[in-house]
Amino acid sequence: MIIEDKFEIKADQERVWHFLMDTESLARCLPGCEEVKDMGNGIYRAVASVQIAFMKLRFHLNVRITEMTPPQQLVSEVDGKPMSLVGQLKMKAQMNLTALAEGATQVHYIMDMSMAGKLGSLGQSAFRSKAAEMGGQFAENIRQALEPTEVQY
């Protein structure tokens, strides 16, 4: 299942890149991320939860950065197991940052996700819908963290 989207942030490319490369900053912006640990050498372990329809799923995730071209591109592989359900989640994710006029940046991401076992039987349409919702939340969280706010008088 391919999930793809893009959004703009009113911050320059270098600033967005450094923010996204900071484990704690990124974790605060990822919907459902409960904890993340930097294991070194581009390897991370995380716990994340997601509510899909009537089910709340928690995952142990292993993330490995496989390719990086600062400040433009990051490619990673994610392997996850739900804690209360038999199954497996595998994902390859690519994120591209493009500098735009006036100090803005476009973030474009593509995720190729597959699910096996009982997890896969929940249905791709439910996961696709939830992924789109979480992508929107992720974009909004980054905007709130990086974009200047207007002061009201």
Side-chain angles (χ1 to χ4, degrees), residues 135-149:
Q137 290 173 340
F138 174 65
E140 186 55 35
N141 292 345
I142 291 175
R143 284 188 192 106
Q144 287 181 5
L146 289 177
E147 290 184 354
T149 56

Side-chain angles (χ1 to χ4, degrees), residues 17 35 43 67-68 101 112 114 123 143:
W17 178 265
E35 63 183 75
I43 297 171
E67 190 179 326
M68 188 174 358
D112 185 0
S114 64
R143 284 188 192 106

